[in-house]
Amino acid sequence: MDITKLRNIGIAAHIDSGKTTLSERILYYTGKIHQITEVRSKSGAGPTMDSMELEREKGITIQSASTYCTWGDYHINLIDTPGHIDFTVEVERALRVLDGAILVLCAVAGVQSQSLTVDRQMKRYNVPRIAFINKVDRSGANPDRVLRQMEEKLNHRVVLLTMPIGLEDQFKGVIDLINMQAVYYEGESGKDVVRKDIPPYLLEEAKKRRSIMIEKLADFDDDIAEKFLADEEISSEEIKKVIRRETINLRITPVFVGTAKQNKGIQTLLDGVCEYLPSPREVVNYALDKDNNESKVQIYPDPNEPLLMIAFKLEDGRFGQLTYMRIYQGRIKKGDVIYNARDGKKIKVPRLVRMHANEMHDIEEAIAGDIIAMFGVECASGDTFTDGKLNYTMESMYVPIPVVELSVAPAEKASQVNFSKALNRFMKEDPTFQVTRDEDSGETIIKGMGELHLDIYLERIKREYNCEVIVGKPKVAYRETITQKADFDYTHKKQTGGAGQFARVAGYIEPMTNKSEDSIEFVNAIVGGVIPKEYIPACEKGFREQVQEGILIGQPVVGLRVVLNDGQTHPVDSSEMAFKTASKFALKETLPKCKPIILEPVMKLETTAPEEFQGVVIGQINQRRGIIINTNIDAGYVIVEAEVPLKEMFGYSNDLRSLTQGKGEFSMEFLHYAPAPKNIQDEIIEEYKKQKKS
């Protein structure tokens, strides 16, 4: 396989923009499947990439699905990601290992809240992208408005490469602005791409748009700028070269238009993927050298270099754990021995496969740049693997913090084993799904990104593990923090025949100025060795363990700095255990003096409803302690952006539907933690005390 002809791409967008429909068309035109199935198909079959029964029922993507196909002499690894914010970690892990992406936008709705999120994720991993404005056949479609929104809301330098021939139900094809040809999609399911002369009534507009495209590219290329100013002809090859270079440099976003549902514009988009998105060789990747203080080392996608790959997704299936891997360097064969860089474990590779949604195609060997899957590899998401020649590790993906909690229990004692199996499996597969045990009540608590996220997992426990579940009310994952500085000085002494325990720790705790969601900083300010170096990690461990349970409502304490500047040891009785215990009690004793407060998760909410419901929509958000950030009216719809505490958002879906005659929609995502108002804090503390008593 020629690595320059390999494309690792993902499709990401706001929910309902048509990602899965687009994936289905790509698979059809590349000959991977021979029949198109719609997302909400009446047959219940469902599209190829939504292979889970629940995905087909609900018409949404829950897990990212991986496949591969060929277009001309290009080999494409494709990952379709979920649009719903509750499954955002699926997008994170896909973008972490991809070289390029297609950002899908709806021609009617334009840039929506989740479009902003996936764009932010693409920027986090420096992923070059091309955009596809989908659904230009729908009533109210306006690609020009979407282009403006991309520039204003996403700060993209957009370069339109295809313009539509007609809009809404008059949409017939696209005009290729580089080659100045009209492109029509004819035959069965638009399979035949027919190029003709541009219709005379659109020629003037096409020339104007081509001129705008060249003017934008002139900002990045002196040759094009000179020819543009001199009114000289610029060849399509020159234009393509600059578009490719600047797309890979993340300076421009090429834009294509079409409609996946009506099978128009997809082949042109596929040409764009191959022409403008990078091969693994054109993307700079780094590893961290564990032998050299984790300093950054550039790695090269060369099959002859030592092996380096990352496990980015795990699935527990019929045959055990399936681990998805992206190979960054070297090659791997069936039967090879690989090493987990995290714990040094040695593993023999029993089976290598390429994934096509939920189908597995066995392969003997894979090389740098490829995305594959393997069985029999016990590991965690984000682990790095080598062939033992390198002591490198790769940075894992960003994992957002869960904000909703539920208490769960199996309905029958006999189902306990299956219940535990399910929770362990889901926790391993999804880093945003967390399971803890409430020590006071003995309840099992599951945490996730939202109500839908947890609902899906509960439904999967029922279906896949035949286990009915009793579910408590959804709860908010609060945090605690401190508002003022306080000193601590604590001595831990214990004398019980034989060796005793002795440790003294002193210092102060203060609020951090730049509080992130899960931040705690430990500062070792010990001088003169009053606490020996070997005991310092134990002190830090004690402090970090203690902040897991605050003193107001038993929730983790964040946003504080612990400074250890004094202490005392005993020549015989001091130990790591003694210093860990002393640190825990010191913090526990001092936290009440720091005026602790409760932080509540605040969500970014975007509600869309017909214009006549503007008053009731805004009124309802205000009732829920929401702060309106922005209101737009577009094509007869009002779009309200607000910040609302998660505590007030339970049941919002039903209320919104009943107030807007079922026409209102919303999406929300976690924004930040903020101090809860005094009356709400008192309410939360009261509720917590009642729970503890019962």
Side-chain angles (χ1 to χ4, degrees):
M1 181 175 65
D2 178 358
I3 197 166
T4 61
K5 294 284 170 76
L6 174 63
R7 299 288 177 270
N8 291 317
I9 61 159
I11 300 179
H14 184 90
I15 194 164
D16 266 349
S17 297
K19 294 177 301 303
T20 303
T21 308
L22 175 61
S23 304
E24 192 76 357
R25 278 13 177 224
I26 288 174
L27 293 177
Y28 178 71
Y29 297 129
T30 55
K32 198 75 194 168
I33 56 173
H34 305 293
Q35 185 187 344
I36 292 170
T37 313
E38 300 302 343
V39 170
R40 290 178 175 87
S41 154
K42 288 190 173 65
S43 69
T48 313
M49 301 297 266
D50 282 354
S51 55
M52 195 194 288
E53 191 185 328
L54 263 171
E55 293 180 310
R56 293 179 173 182
E57 274 178 32
K58 292 184 182 284
I60 61 168
T61 302
I62 292 167
Q63 289 188 331
S64 54
S66 176
T67 187
Y68 66 99
C69 53
T70 51
W71 183 245
D73 53 356
Y74 286 87
H75 181 96
I76 299 171
N77 285 319
L78 174 74
I79 297 181
D80 175 27
T81 65
H84 201 289
I85 188 64
D86 284 14
F87 309 106
T88 188
V89 75
E90 292 287 339
V91 187
E92 287 284 348
R93 55 173 152 213
L95 291 174
R96 166 65 186 85
V97 299
L98 292 171
D99 303 323
I102 302 171
L103 174 65
V104 183
L105 298 156
C106 171
V108 182
V111 173
Q112 295 164 277
S113 59
Q114 194 57 15
S115 319
L116 292 162
T117 305
V118 295
D119 181 64
R120 202 166 56 239
Q121 290 169 318
M122 288 175 190
K123 284 173 181 162
R124 180 181 289 139
Y125 300 110
N126 295 323
V127 176
R129 85 284 282 171
I130 57 178
F132 180 64
I133 299 177
N134 192 21
K135 304 188 181 185
V136 289
D137 60 318
R138 266 185 57 189
S139 174
N142 185 343
D144 286 326
R145 188 180 69 233
V146 182
L147 290 170
R148 273 198 312 278
Q149 289 178 341
M150 285 179 74
E151 289 183 324
E152 289 162 13
K153 292 186 175 183
L154 302 177
N155 295 322
H156 282 212
R157 288 291 298 272
V158 295
V159 179
L160 186 69
L161 302 188
T162 61
M163 67 173 256
I165 300 172
L167 279 176
E168 301 179 348
D169 57 352
Q170 297 302 305
F171 178 64
K172 295 181 175 65
V174 301
I175 291 172
D176 172 354
L177 295 172
I178 296 177
N179 298 306
M180 287 300 274
Q181 291 173 316
V183 186
Y184 299 95
Y185 306 89
E186 296 172 359
E188 188 199 341
S189 304
K191 235 179 178 181
D192 305 325
V193 179
V194 180
R195 288 179 174 263
K196 297 180 183 175
D197 289 338
I198 296 170
Y201 72 97
L202 282 173
L203 193 56
E204 213 42 54
E205 190 192 340
K207 281 178 179 173
K208 191 176 149 197
R209 286 188 185 269
R210 188 177 199 267
S211 179
I212 291 168
M213 172 185 79
I214 291 169
E215 193 179 344
K216 285 185 175 180
L217 296 176
D219 290 346
F220 301 102
D221 191 89
D222 292 342
D223 293 345
I224 284 186
E226 278 173 31
K227 287 187 177 180
F228 177 69
L229 292 169
D231 242 354
E232 289 177 33
E233 188 55 42
I234 300 164
S235 73
S236 57
E237 286 316 307
E238 286 175 280
I239 292 171
K240 285 178 181 177
K241 198 173 94 185
V242 177
I243 293 171
R244 177 175 179 76
R245 186 184 72 218
E246 298 309 322
T247 303
I248 293 170
N249 288 339
L250 302 170
R251 288 192 193 150
I252 63 167
T253 304
V255 182
F256 295 82
V257 299
T259 162
K261 191 86 185 277
Q262 302 301 330
N263 312 313
K264 291 182 176 77
I266 314 305
Q267 294 97 318
T268 330
L269 174 71
L270 273 167
D271 290 340
V273 164
C274 299
E275 278 172 340
Y276 308 123
L277 288 179
S279 74
R281 204 157 265 174
E282 292 161 299
V283 179
V284 178
N285 285 298
Y286 294 97
L288 305 174
D289 186 349
K290 288 167 86 176
D291 293 335
N292 193 10
N293 212 11
E294 295 209 341
S295 58
K296 272 190 173 182
V297 187
Q298 191 174 340
I299 49 175
Y300 301 94
D302 184 338
N304 302 314
E305 291 285 319
L307 176 72
L308 194 65
M309 58 187 185
I310 190 168
F312 67 95
K313 180 175 158 68
L314 315 177
E315 261 176 37
D316 241 329
R318 299 188 302 271
F319 310 107
Q321 183 173 305
L322 179 67
T323 308
Y324 288 75
M325 299 274 196
R326 160 75 199 255
I327 307 169
Y328 282 94
Q329 203 175 266
R331 64 176 73 232
I332 187 167
K333 290 182 183 154
K334 212 163 98 172
D336 277 359
V337 171
I338 57 172
Y339 295 83
N340 188 331
R342 179 172 51 86
D343 55 19
K345 269 192 186 163
K346 188 165 101 172
I347 299 151
K348 191 171 183 184
V349 180
R351 186 180 174 195
L352 281 182
V353 294
R354 261 192 227 293
M355 295 304 293
H356 171 45
N358 62 340
E359 291 175 20
M360 293 157 213
H361 301 164
D362 278 281
I363 54 171
E364 289 300 312
E365 182 184 33
I367 61 166
D370 221 341
I371 290 174
I372 49 136
M374 54 179 76
F375 281 103
V377 176
E378 274 299 313
C379 67
S381 193
D383 280 359
T384 304
F385 286 88
T386 70
D387 53 6
K389 291 176 187 165
L390 296 173
N391 195 12
Y392 288 178
T393 183
M394 296 193 75
E395 284 180 359
S396 192
M397 70 286 295
Y398 165 78
V399 177
I401 55 172
V403 288
V404 175
E405 299 182 353
L406 277 179
S407 63
V408 290
E412 294 166 11
K413 276 264 164 63
S415 308
Q416 183 67 50
V417 173
N418 277 2
F419 177 70
S420 299
K421 264 187 197 167
L423 293 184
N424 285 332
R425 171 191 163 186
F426 298 147
M427 217 177 12
K428 206 171 181 186
E429 287 181 2
D430 180 353
T432 58
F433 177 77
Q434 295 176 7
V435 182
T436 56
R437 187 175 165 79
D438 186 318
E439 293 305 328
D440 296 322
S441 63
E443 288 177 321
T444 300
I445 308 288
I446 58 172
K447 298 179 185 182
M449 299 305 295
E451 287 181 272
L452 177 67
H453 188 211
L454 296 180
D455 283 350
I456 293 289
Y457 278 119
L458 292 170
E459 189 63 31
R460 287 183 67 188
I461 292 172
K462 199 164 140 185
R463 291 183 188 202
E464 295 171 33
Y465 288 86
N466 197 19
C467 172
E468 290 291 335
V469 180
I470 301 164
V471 183
K473 266 188 176 172
K475 286 190 289 192
V476 176
Y478 295 107
R479 294 283 184 272
E480 298 180 26
T481 193
I482 58 170
T483 55
Q484 70 178 37
K485 184 178 171 182
D487 293 326
F488 64 86
D489 189 341
Y490 186 87
T491 306
H492 171 65
K493 276 185 193 170
K494 205 172 178 190
Q495 207 65 49
T496 48
Q501 286 185 21
F502 180 89
R504 176 178 160 252
V505 289
Y508 59 89
I509 308 167
E510 62 180 359
M512 278 168 76
T513 42
N514 55 336
K515 295 176 184 179
S516 71
E517 269 58 66
D518 260 353
S519 58
I520 165 171
E521 193 184 328
F522 172 74
V523 180
N524 172 20
I526 292 292
V527 285
V530 286
I531 298 178
K533 266 187 192 163
E534 62 266 29
Y535 295 145
I536 300 295
C539 295
E540 182 175 358
K541 203 172 177 191
F543 288 128
R544 287 191 183 276
E545 273 184 26
Q546 189 55 46
V547 294
Q548 292 310 308
E549 195 180 327
I551 53 159
L552 295 176
I553 52 169
Q555 290 287 0
V557 188
V558 297
L560 79 161
R561 181 184 287 110
V562 181
V563 179
L564 181 67
N565 59 20
D566 198 6
Q568 199 181 335
T569 55
H570 185 280
V572 178
D573 293 348
S574 286
S575 63
E576 283 186 18
M577 187 54 141
F579 273 98
K580 183 178 155 187
T581 309
S583 303
K584 281 179 83 165
F585 282 116
L587 201 60
K588 196 172 185 177
E589 192 182 73
T590 315
L591 281 174
K593 301 174 196 167
C594 300
K595 291 212 171 149
I597 56 167
I598 294 171
L599 298 173
E600 60 177 352
V602 173
M603 310 303 278
K604 180 178 161 194
L605 173 73
E606 187 179 277
T607 303
T608 309
E611 209 178 320
E612 67 262 31
F613 299 111
Q614 181 174 353
V616 290
V617 165
I618 289 174
Q620 191 188 45
I621 291 169
N622 286 333
Q623 273 176 4
R624 292 171 180 266
R625 293 197 284 129
I627 297 165
I628 308 292
I629 302 297
N630 197 10
T631 308
N632 275 325
I633 290 174
D634 200 348
Y637 274 78
V638 63
I639 300 154
V640 182
E641 291 171 31
E643 293 179 7
V644 194
L646 177 62
K647 182 183 193 297
E648 311 298 335
M649 287 307 292
F650 296 119
Y652 179 64
S653 175
N654 292 340
D655 288 358
L656 179 68
R657 282 199 198 105
S658 59
L659 275 175
T660 59
Q661 298 166 11
K663 296 171 188 167
E665 290 179 351
F666 78 96
S667 67
M668 70 174 183
E669 63 173 302
F670 171 72
L671 188 63
H672 58 77
Y673 273 96
K678 180 80 173 75
N679 61 322
I680 302 291
Q681 288 206 44
D682 295 343
E683 215 177 276
I684 297 165
I685 292 167
E686 200 50 48
E687 216 173 284
Y688 175 69
K689 282 177 181 167
K690 269 186 202 164
Q691 253 182 342
K692 286 207 61 147
K693 276 179 192 167
S694 61

